[in-house]
Amino acid sequence: MNKHEISSYIDHTLLAPQATVSQIEKLCAEAKEYSFASVCINPSYVSLAAKLLEGSSVNVCTVVGFPLGATPSEVKAYEAAVCVQKGATEVDMVINVGAAVDGRYSEVGADIAAVVDAAKAEGKKLGKHICVKVILETCYLDDKMIENCCLCAKKAGADFVKTSTGFAILKDKDGKLLPNGATAAHVALMRKTVGNDMGVKASGGVRSAESALDMIKAGANRIGTSSGEAIVKAFED
């Protein structure tokens, strides 16, 4: 794989709450330079990113119900619609994680469907296809929960399932922080569950070329990372 090929996998990401205008401008400039798949930014910067990326091949991706996924479905749906109105062409939503852990999959599915329907309906008004990715926050879920959530996303008409927000806080019994991002095992499980009809996005802790390749080999066809430039520079044509 060369640098041009790896670039097409990357959602160039900056979701820090303290992100500044100048940082978003830099992110978008890098995304255009390397032809990344998208920039992934917080909703407040969607209009700016859309303006900066106008005429380029780079998509504007934003997040909904982020990072907890605990807001009501109608609020997530409204947020998604507003983001599309402002120029987003990709929406990464966080599921109701508590409902998933509880086994309330009808609620998980309805939550996803509300966002999918709202985003795609708004996109249709604008003559745009909107890609919806569903963040499972896999570090909180066991394998069966991950499978069930993937099936909920597929049934709801989402385009991708995604591993993580990168903002989860998981601790062991002694209070030590545990890994909270993507793993190749979870990516492989998600790919096996959704088949080839949906995308799988690995996100959270993917900071090196080696890690990115591991995720791609496991079945990811999109990589969410704040280290996109460094990853691409590690590849030679």
Side-chain angles (χ1 to χ4, degrees):
M1 183 174 286
N2 60 42
K3 65 182 181 182
H4 300 293
E5 291 169 332
I6 192 67
S7 292
S8 67
Y9 283 82
I10 292 174
D11 286 350
H12 199 34
T13 303
L14 178 56
L15 293 168
Q18 74 276 21
T20 64
V21 168
S22 63
Q23 289 174 319
I24 297 298
E25 290 172 341
K26 181 174 183 287
L27 189 84
C28 291
E30 291 168 351
K32 287 195 289 187
E33 178 181 355
Y34 295 106
S35 298
F36 289 138
S38 79
V39 294
C40 187
I41 39 84
N42 282 311
S44 61
Y45 282 127
V46 166
S47 295
L48 174 61
K51 181 179 179 181
L52 293 170
L53 294 170
E54 187 175 4
S56 77
S57 64
V58 182
N59 285 295
V60 177
C61 176
T62 193
V63 289
V64 163
F66 193 87
L68 301 179
T71 45
S73 299
E74 57 267 35
V75 175
K76 292 182 186 178
Y78 178 76
E79 185 178 19
V82 170
C83 287
V84 172
Q85 291 167 11
K86 290 182 178 294
T89 53
E90 300 193 355
V91 172
D92 290 15
M93 67 156 293
V94 187
I95 66 165
N96 184 329
V97 182
V101 173
D102 234 3
R104 292 181 278 122
Y105 295 111
S106 62
E107 293 182 34
V108 173
D111 186 58
I112 297 169
V115 174
V116 170
D117 292 347
K120 290 185 180 292
E122 203 60 42
K124 188 175 181 180
K125 293 178 188 176
L126 299 170
K128 296 179 179 179
H129 171 74
I130 306 301
C131 174
V132 179
K133 309 189 201 88
V134 178
I135 307 172
L136 306 187
E137 205 68 289
T138 49
C139 68
Y140 292 132
L141 308 177
D142 63 27
D143 285 1
K144 190 62 178 176
M145 293 172 187
I146 291 170
E147 290 175 351
N148 285 330
C149 289
C150 284
L151 294 174
C152 287
K154 189 171 186 177
K155 184 178 180 181
D159 301 281
F160 274 75
V161 286
K162 174 179 170 181
T163 57
S164 318
T165 64
F167 285 77
I169 299 174
L170 189 65
K171 298 179 180 180
D172 65 15
K173 59 183 176 60
D174 298 317
K176 181 182 177 182
L177 287 172
L178 298 172
N180 67 350
T183 69
H186 283 159
V187 168
L189 175 62
M190 293 161 72
R191 172 54 68 202
K192 180 180 178 182
T193 304
V194 301
N196 295 320
D197 296 334
M198 291 180 70
V200 175
K201 178 175 173 178
S203 185
V206 184
R207 299 187 182 94
S208 68
E210 181 181 13
S211 179
L213 284 176
D214 285 343
M215 299 302 167
I216 292 168
K217 289 174 183 176
N221 53 338
R222 199 71 79 86
I223 303 293
T225 179
S226 58
S227 303
E229 187 177 25
I231 289 171
V232 169
K233 286 181 175 179
F235 285 81
E236 297 292 339
D237 288 323

